[in-house]
Amino acid sequence: MKTPQSLSRIFFALLAVCVVSAGVVQAKTPNILLIVSDDTGYGDLGPYGGGVGRGMPTPNIDKMAAQGMTFFSYYAQPSCTPGRAAMQTGRIPNRSGMTTVAFQGQGGGLPAAEWTLGSVLKSAGYKTYFTGKWHLGESDYALPNAQGYDVMEHCFLYHCNAYTYGDPTWFPDMPAELREMFNKVTKGSMSGKAGEAPKQDWKVNGQYVDTPEKGVVGIPFLDKYVEESGLKFLEDAAKNPDTPFFININFMKNHQPNMPAPEYKHKSLSKSKYADSIVELDARIGHVMDKLKELNLDQDTLVFYTTDNGAWQDVYPDSGYTPFRGTKGTVREGGNRVPAIAVWPGKIEPGVRNHDIVGGLDLMATFAAVADVKLPENDRDGKPIYFDSYDMTPLLTGTGKSARKSWFYFTENELTPGAARSGNYKAVFNLRGDDGQATGGLAVDTNLGWKGAEKYVATVPQVFDLWQDPQERYDVFMNNYTERTWTLVTFNEEISKLMKTYAKYPPRKLQSEVYTGPITISEYQNLEFVREKLQKQGISIPLPTGN
């Protein structure tokens, strides 16, 4: 027979087990820190063969790669707005209508009905912060503090160039009334909390001037304020260790015009403006990582670094570098394959080099999995929504491979992809910027990017083996030494699955749609035909019947 004392011991033992069990169940989900830079070339950073070898040391980014996982087949979109929209929404940009963005003063932006990383993680109990480049529209409903972020501070709505339009030292030939208009409508640094009207902190211009007290700060100093906001957010988050946080820090470097902060001028080995800006970017990333460790937050935080699009090479010699073909604005690898590094102590093994097909679209499903929250089935207006996002956590934790087997490349107005990758093969349908033969091993396209006319080769695309030929130089569709026409079966299957989703989940109206010419009767009839085809069987790419 048990004594009262033994029963008491059993009771307290059981109580302790319950408390421990409850603690396990209620353990805080990991913090998430997303760092995004602008127009950073794949080959500029140390982990990708750049760094010192390119005249721009990146010791802090090198350290991140040594501590975590570096991705070598990681894809963004071909330019700023679609790249950022894809990351924020987990959806191909043509679904949200964010394939490009309107000029300042035209309003619009990310539809209020879209889910973002901020709004999804906020629903999981995360404290959410945003600072830096947004570039997803300027209407109040499209800003971070209306899109799921509790706080936005020093949010910038445009690329760096836009802040030079009203500056007479940059464009002395601009008519005075047009300059007055740009100065009036261009918004500077924007800050605000969720539910509050955003306020402008100060204007931005293209000068080496840092005078917030006088209402203006120049491009060279913007990333200083982004960094300071990020550090302040981390310090604030550390005061509430039981509440998980999601912080999105978006540096303005390295978009043109590259104007490094004064303390970083000529700090690179090559002394160029772009290289100096890379050195500045690396230093600021290092400051953020150091603060994370100083606050004892590093062990419980998934850090992810990437950039918004492929390198802009049109502004040689002061521009980003990629070993791949093409540039920002094209469907070539150079316009879409970008650097990405993930660090997560205890979860990601140090020094891992990953080659699975993944991309910015996959941050949504990945962060949702980390936060243990299910992706919504309906948009914020209650209508069914489709996500193009795959969970990367099996890759990060070493428990599995990527579920993604294909990637689609789009530019602006495309509903069908201008190019598609499946496994190690890539089919290129849109030779935008082409300046040579339409197809074949000798086809040469320039770096015209979006400046080039759309030029589709339709049913006979260029086909490249990205393992053997990552520079897309040798078209293996059909020539005198090989024939890869059979690859179209794979591409047809992947594209057909994509196109069928548009029937059930129609794309939103383009958010920067402008008049490009008359709408014809035949275009309308084709629209009806395409709608019916999507609903019934999708899109089919026919195989050649002979040569």
Side-chain angles (χ1 to χ4, degrees):
M1 182 176 178
K2 293 183 174 61
T3 65
Q5 291 83 359
S6 63
L7 288 174
S8 177
R9 285 194 296 270
I10 292 172
F11 171 77
F12 282 109
L14 289 173
L15 181 62
V17 170
C18 291
V19 169
V20 170
S21 299
V24 171
V25 173
Q26 297 176 3
K28 183 177 79 70
T29 50
N31 308 311
I32 301 172
L33 167 59
L34 173 61
I35 304 173
V36 181
S37 61
D38 203 6
D39 283 14
T40 307
Y42 185 99
D44 292 327
L45 310 180
Y48 294 88
V52 173
R54 289 265 297 125
M56 49 189 88
T58 57
N60 294 293
I61 293 174
D62 296 352
K63 184 178 179 181
M64 290 181 68
Q67 293 175 338
M69 177 177 290
T70 304
F71 295 91
F72 289 87
S73 288
Y74 187 96
Y75 289 91
Q77 304 296 317
S79 61
C80 301
T81 291
R84 293 170 187 278
M87 282 189 275
Q88 286 293 334
T89 67
R91 285 155 50 81
I92 293 171
N94 61 29
R95 296 192 192 277
S96 61
M98 298 302 296
T99 61
T100 184
V101 74
F103 258 101
Q104 57 259 51
Q106 293 183 310
L110 188 65
E114 288 289 325
W115 288 96
T116 66
L117 295 174
S119 54
V120 168
L121 292 175
K122 187 173 181 177
S123 72
Y126 276 64
K127 190 72 175 175
T128 55
Y129 304 86
F130 185 94
T131 183
K133 184 176 180 180
W134 180 242
H135 211 188
L136 296 178
E138 60 182 3
S139 291
D140 285 357
Y141 67 79
L143 301 189
N145 68 327
Q147 291 280 353
Y149 290 91
D150 294 314
V151 179
M152 71 171 185
E153 186 171 80
H154 299 313
C155 173
F156 302 100
L157 310 186
Y158 324 106
H159 52 65
C160 285
N161 295 85
Y163 298 105
T164 67
Y165 295 159
D167 193 326
T169 62
W170 281 83
F171 304 105
D173 57 329
M174 181 182 290
E177 61 273 17
L178 184 57
R179 180 180 298 115
E180 182 181 356
M181 183 277 291
F182 275 124
N183 285 327
K184 181 179 179 180
V185 303
T186 302
K187 298 180 180 180
S189 169
M190 304 297 293
S191 298
K193 296 181 179 179
E196 297 179 358
K199 296 180 180 179
Q200 180 173 268
D201 306 303
W202 25 259
K203 288 279 190 178
V204 177
N205 67 11
Q207 303 298 318
Y208 273 85
V209 56
D210 185 16
T211 55
E213 72 282 359
K214 295 181 180 179
V216 62
V217 172
I219 290 172
F221 301 93
L222 299 185
D223 279 346
K224 178 187 77 170
Y225 290 95
V226 174
E227 177 191 318
E228 288 176 353
S229 290
L231 300 183
K232 185 174 72 173
F233 290 159
L234 287 173
E235 290 172 349
D236 179 65
K239 297 174 183 177
N240 299 283
D242 295 330
T243 301
F245 63 78
F246 168 55
I247 295 179
N248 188 187
I249 301 175
N250 297 261
F251 291 109
M252 298 292 282
K253 301 290 189 307
N254 298 285
H255 197 290
Q256 286 288 309
N258 279 293
M259 302 176 70
E263 64 268 34
Y264 293 100
K265 290 182 71 173
H266 295 171
K267 293 300 183 182
S268 68
L269 300 175
S270 67
K271 313 302 181 188
S272 74
K273 292 185 294 181
Y274 181 85
D276 290 346
S277 296
I278 286 286
V279 170
E280 178 183 350
L281 170 68
D282 179 79
R284 296 197 186 284
I285 289 176
H287 297 160
V288 172
M289 297 299 287
D290 289 344
K291 176 61 71 171
L292 200 67
K293 186 172 184 178
E294 174 192 321
L295 296 171
N296 295 319
L297 296 171
D298 57 318
Q299 296 300 309
D300 193 29
T301 302
L302 165 61
V303 180
F304 205 100
Y305 162 73
T306 188
T307 188
D308 55 355
N309 49 253
W312 191 358
Q313 299 181 78
D314 294 348
V315 287
Y316 176 88
D318 196 35
S319 60
Y321 167 73
T322 170
F324 305 115
R325 183 175 181 174
T327 184
K328 174 181 176 179
T330 72
V331 295
R332 297 297 189 182
E333 292 297 285
N336 295 267
R337 204 187 295 200
V338 299
I341 301 171
V343 178
W344 195 4
K347 297 289 186 179
I348 298 177
E349 294 292 326
V352 179
R353 297 161 66 89
N354 182 273
H355 294 273
D356 288 34
I357 300 174
V358 288
L361 286 167
D362 300 325
L363 295 179
M364 175 64 86
T366 304
F367 291 174
V370 169
D372 194 25
V373 62
K374 184 180 178 183
L375 287 180
E377 296 182 358
N378 295 315
D379 67 15
R380 295 169 76 186
D381 280 344
K383 297 178 181 177
I385 190 170
Y386 185 91
F387 291 96
D388 301 282
S389 191
Y390 287 78
D391 178 13
M392 292 188 288
T393 54
L395 287 185
L396 301 179
T397 58
T399 59
K401 298 284 287 180
S402 172
R404 180 184 289 284
K405 304 302 178 187
S406 61
W407 188 265
F408 302 113
Y409 308 68
F410 298 88
T411 57
E412 283 120 355
N413 198 34
E414 291 173 326
L415 191 61
T416 53
R421 177 178 177 178
S422 182
N424 56 301
Y425 286 102
K426 178 179 179 180
V428 180
F429 303 99
N430 178 7
L431 302 183
R432 179 187 291 267
D434 175 77
D435 193 26
Q437 300 182 45
T439 63
L442 297 179
V444 178
D445 59 338
T446 68
N447 284 338
L448 288 175
W450 49 74
K451 293 181 290 186
E454 295 174 346
K455 184 174 182 181
Y456 288 88
V457 291
T459 57
V460 186
Q462 291 182 340
V463 174
F464 303 95
D465 181 345
L466 294 180
W467 285 350
Q468 307 293 339
D469 178 28
Q471 291 185 322
E472 301 172 75
R473 296 174 65 192
Y474 304 103
D475 178 7
V476 297
F477 181 84
M478 186 182 294
N479 54 40
N480 64 352
Y481 64 89
T482 186
E483 179 188 337
R484 290 292 188 275
T485 55
W486 55 265
T487 58
L488 286 191
V489 175
T490 304
F491 293 124
N492 182 39
E493 180 181 353
E494 294 298 316
I495 294 174
S496 180
K497 287 190 293 187
L498 167 69
M499 298 306 291
K500 287 180 180 179
T501 65
Y502 294 135
K504 186 175 180 181
Y505 307 95
R508 302 190 196 280
K509 177 181 177 295
L510 291 180
Q511 297 304 301
S512 57
E513 187 176 9
V514 295
Y515 180 73
T516 57
I519 299 175
T520 64
I521 296 173
S522 58
E523 283 181 308
Y524 177 79
Q525 291 175 337
N526 284 339
L527 178 64
E528 294 299 307
F529 167 77
V530 169
R531 181 179 295 155
E532 293 176 4
K533 193 172 183 64
L534 288 178
Q535 291 174 339
K536 293 178 180 178
Q537 64 196 62
I539 295 293
S540 179
I541 305 171
L543 286 173
T545 55
N547 58 358

